[in-house]
Amino acid sequence: MSSDLAIDHTKLILDGTKIAWHTERIKAWERGERVAPITIDMSLTRACNYGCHYCYAMMQENERLPITRDTIFKFMDECAEIGVKAISLVSDGESTLSPVFVDAIQRGAENGMSMAVGTNGYLLNERKLDQILPHLTYLRINISAGERKRYAEIMGVKEEWFDKICENIKTMVRLKKAKNLGVTIGLQMVLMPEYEDQIIPLAALGKELRPDYLVIKHCSDNEDGFLGVDYGGYKKLYAKLHEAETYADDEYQVTVKWSKIADEGTRSYQRCYGPPFLLQISGSGLVAPCGMLFNDQYKKFHMGNIVTQGFKEIYNSDRYWEVINYLASPDFNAQVMCGTLCLQHKVNEYLDGVKKGAVQVSKPDGESPQHLNFV
């Protein structure tokens, strides 16, 4: 994955979807064929060493099974075999806590898949970064505050952890430059309206630490409003969010996920078409259409578990496709049966347009964007 090319920020799509560039798979789907996921978003464990107040994972509890080295190697091999293009280690746990973290990244990359990581970054160090950065498309640090005290309050940790995270970000930026790597280093803020005071400090911190980008995104909630996200409250933040964007320069991008924030938690579509293209797997090994359906209360949507079954077996099973087809049927209505602003939201908008004839399936003009396989 190493490259002598600097990141071209004009090709870094952080607010939207890149599924339009995968025309062959979309056309196969339109023909009614079974298509392998382009991207699988997963974790290697359900455990986490943080206590973020906005964390959705507390609503995703299911039976925890350990993902071992043998399990993850078999999984990576079978993903490559059936045509999965990318694996992002994000999902419902902190994957750096897993003893197979480094092995999983290396095995996936050896199999030709694009690999990525979203992490709080606390357990990273120079040795681990040396082992993983050459194999990653992107490494994203979840950081929802730009000041020590507020970081500790929002993310549920000690204030001094903020200092370690900042040093780790400096290290990954330094290693990327020293080794001339193509990996993208990013920061992500999960924004709730009550974190308004941290928008500008975090934009400024990013400008100081010099990652490739900072993305500021909405906070997802479940259909019952468990986290109490005030989606109408984002409007009062617009001026400050625009101000944060002014901190960008030629080597540092600040992107606000305006398209999702402006939706205020609503959907324009009813069918869910995204999961066959963008699937999620819990840190317990549970395979489900999306992370919002990990909890045991949604067992009717659960497809299998990679700890007890091969992924290829799950993918080829009647159960897998029964769930996929149900979500795309008139019996399912995402507007009332789902949580807000899910991972598949932008993919769903695009595919809904395809189904309704409003979107023509054709590869966009020009060069492909960065992170192409992470739709």
Side-chain angles (χ1 to χ4, degrees):
M1 293 299 300
S2 61
S3 169
D4 59 0
L5 298 175
I7 297 299
D8 183 347
H9 290 100
T10 64
K11 299 176 186 174
L12 192 56
I13 298 174
L14 298 173
D15 181 22
T17 175
K18 296 174 283 294
I19 195 169
W21 279 268
H22 298 272
T23 54
E24 289 183 10
R25 207 154 293 197
I26 297 169
K27 289 178 178 177
W29 169 75
E30 282 192 289
R31 294 191 296 268
E33 298 174 19
R34 293 183 172 185
V35 296
I38 299 167
T39 310
I40 293 179
D41 178 279
M42 68 180 298
S43 182
L44 299 174
T45 178
R46 282 278 295 131
C48 188
N49 49 350
Y50 272 51
C52 302
H53 288 192
Y54 55 82
C55 183
Y56 199 96
M58 67 182 77
M59 297 178 281
Q60 296 173 302
E61 193 58 62
N62 55 77
E63 183 184 0
R64 300 191 182 198
L65 298 178
I67 298 176
T68 65
R69 191 171 184 267
D70 287 345
T71 296
I72 201 64
F73 276 18
K74 181 180 180 182
F75 172 78
M76 293 294 178
D77 294 349
E78 292 188 347
C79 281
E81 183 183 341
I82 68 173
V84 175
K85 295 184 178 183
I87 305 285
S88 53
L89 299 179
V90 186
S91 200
D92 61 342
E94 176 53 49
S95 288
T96 58
L97 287 166
S98 167
V100 301
F101 173 66
V102 172
D103 288 337
I105 293 167
Q106 294 177 346
R107 184 70 163 218
E110 287 167 6
N111 278 321
M113 292 184 292
S114 302
M115 299 297 298
V117 171
T119 171
N120 57 47
Y122 185 76
L123 291 178
L124 294 177
N125 53 43
E126 186 154 349
R127 179 181 60 82
K128 279 187 180 176
L129 289 166
D130 261 334
Q131 292 174 309
I132 65 173
L133 286 178
H135 305 290
L136 293 176
T137 297
Y138 71 79
L139 174 58
R140 189 187 70 219
I141 302 298
N142 299 316
I143 177 171
S144 291
E147 298 171 326
R148 290 176 97 243
K149 187 174 186 298
R150 289 290 279 139
Y151 179 88
E153 291 170 352
I154 293 170
M155 304 196 72
V157 295
K158 298 176 181 178
E159 286 189 30
E160 53 264 34
W161 287 30
F162 175 80
D163 304 323
K164 182 174 181 180
I165 297 305
C166 290
E167 287 304 312
N168 283 347
I169 294 168
K170 289 178 185 176
T171 300
M172 57 188 74
V173 170
R174 173 174 55 79
L175 288 174
K176 172 189 168 169
K177 291 181 178 178
K179 296 177 179 292
N180 204 24
L181 301 175
V183 61
T184 309
I185 308 297
L187 309 182
Q188 174 176 279
M189 179 185 200
V190 177
L191 177 64
M192 292 181 76
E194 52 265 43
Y195 305 161
E196 176 184 6
D197 64 304
Q198 291 304 296
I199 294 172
I200 300 306
L202 185 53
L205 179 67
K207 196 173 184 73
E208 175 190 340
L209 299 178
R210 309 307 297 169
D212 295 298
Y213 69 84
L214 162 67
V215 62
I216 303 174
K217 60 167 285 188
H218 61 285
C219 183
S220 297
D221 209 343
N222 74 354
E223 63 269 37
D224 299 321
F226 180 84
L227 293 175
V229 184
D230 174 17
Y231 287 105
Y234 283 114
K235 283 184 177 177
K236 69 178 182 179
L237 312 183
Y238 282 13
K240 196 156 284 188
L241 290 170
H242 283 301
E243 182 184 347
E245 291 175 321
T246 68
Y247 281 74
D249 55 41
D250 289 344
E251 296 180 340
Y252 170 56
Q253 178 173 335
V254 178
T255 295
V256 177
K257 285 198 171 187
W258 287 111
S259 68
K260 281 192 172 183
I261 288 175
D263 283 342
E264 296 186 7
T266 63
R267 301 172 188 267
S268 61
Y269 55 88
Q270 295 180 328
R271 307 288 87 80
C272 180
Y273 299 122
F277 299 92
L278 176 53
L279 190 72
Q280 289 185 268
I281 297 178
S282 170
S284 67
L286 172 69
V287 181
C290 74
M292 290 185 170
L293 299 175
F294 285 162
N295 193 286
D296 277 339
Q297 73 184 75
Y298 303 112
K299 278 186 180 292
K300 70 176 184 177
F301 297 104
H302 296 173
M303 299 151 150
N305 192 300
I306 63 169
V307 176
T308 56
Q309 292 172 275
F311 181 67
K312 189 166 72 169
E313 178 188 348
I314 296 171
Y315 166 76
N316 286 321
S317 69
D318 290 340
R319 172 68 178 170
Y320 183 97
W321 292 103
E322 284 168 3
V323 173
I324 292 292
N325 293 333
Y326 170 71
L327 294 172
S329 77
D331 295 326
F332 185 79
N333 184 346
Q335 291 176 346
V336 296
M337 299 168 73
C338 283
T340 57
L341 301 173
C342 64
L343 183 70
Q344 291 87 351
H345 181 61
K346 301 307 293 184
V347 173
N348 274 329
E349 285 183 338
Y350 178 90
L351 295 174
D352 188 61
V354 170
K355 281 288 187 181
K356 292 175 178 174
V359 173
Q360 297 300 313
V361 180
S362 62
K363 191 171 293 187
D365 295 332
E367 293 184 52
S368 298
Q370 301 278 344
H371 307 178
L372 179 64
N373 292 330
F374 298 92
V375 296

